[in-house]
Amino acid sequence: MRMKRSIVAGPGNPPVVVDETADLDNAARSIIAGAAFDNNLLCIGEKEVFVVESVFKPMMDAMRKAGAVELSKASIDKLTEKAFAWKDDHYVVSKDLVGKDPKALGEAIGLNIPAKTELLFGETSEDNPFVPEEQMMPFVPFV
């Protein structure tokens, strides 16, 4: 059997870092394009965004302007509870939500998200499971 060499990726959790030098509108469009692709199933998609404090609010505004839907803290808490279970000293992602679209994620927590929505996002702390765990769904935490 002939073997081919290849470069592959394993489970990922690629972060985005946004600082005061960023073109925020371009960053927002790029985050949505990457994280919304295939409902964020791929390990190469943006999984969490770290934004410096000086541009945090304008970055959140840019995300809304680009068409992403921002979840409230209460909605993020509900989604986190539905998306993760604590098992054997670590979080495990719910297979029921993996690969689902934003509308389905919204329905899981009692929200009516427009069908055309590509990505959900919202502010979390760095210890929210959406930050360190690979969730494989179209919600991106902003820290």
Side-chain angles (χ1 to χ4, degrees):
M1 175 187 342
R2 185 175 159 185
M3 306 270 289
K4 289 187 176 182
R5 292 182 185 198
S6 61
I7 298 173
V8 298
N13 225 18
V16 175
V17 177
V18 179
D19 69 13
E20 62 280 345
T21 67
D23 175 334
L24 300 181
D25 291 330
N26 184 47
R29 289 189 305 272
S30 297
I31 291 165
I32 293 168
F37 182 79
D38 205 16
N39 287 329
N40 213 358
L41 275 173
L42 303 178
C43 65
I44 59 169
E46 292 79 350
K47 303 296 185 195
E48 64 277 325
V49 180
F50 296 94
V51 185
V52 297
E53 188 174 353
S54 63
V55 295
F56 191 86
K57 184 180 177 329
M59 183 65 216
M60 301 296 269
D61 293 341
M63 289 295 293
R64 286 188 294 274
K65 180 178 155 189
V69 171
E70 184 175 9
L71 297 183
S72 68
K73 180 182 178 341
S75 292
I76 293 169
D77 290 345
K78 285 180 187 177
L79 183 59
T80 302
E81 194 173 296
K82 292 271 188 181
F84 296 97
W86 185 255
K87 183 179 179 185
D88 299 327
D89 296 329
H90 68 281
Y91 284 103
V92 177
V93 70
S94 168
K95 291 179 179 33
D96 293 338
L97 296 180
V98 167
K100 301 294 184 185
D101 62 32
K103 183 161 182 58
L105 296 182
E107 288 170 358
I109 59 171
L111 296 177
N112 185 16
I113 302 294
K116 65 178 177 55
T117 302
E118 294 183 86
L119 187 68
L120 304 174
F121 76 105
E123 182 177 357
T124 72
S125 65
E126 64 189 39
D127 61 348
N128 180 289
F130 274 104
V131 177
E133 301 297 328
E134 186 172 19
Q135 69 275 19
M136 298 178 292
M137 59 190 76
F139 169 76
V140 175
F142 276 64
V143 179

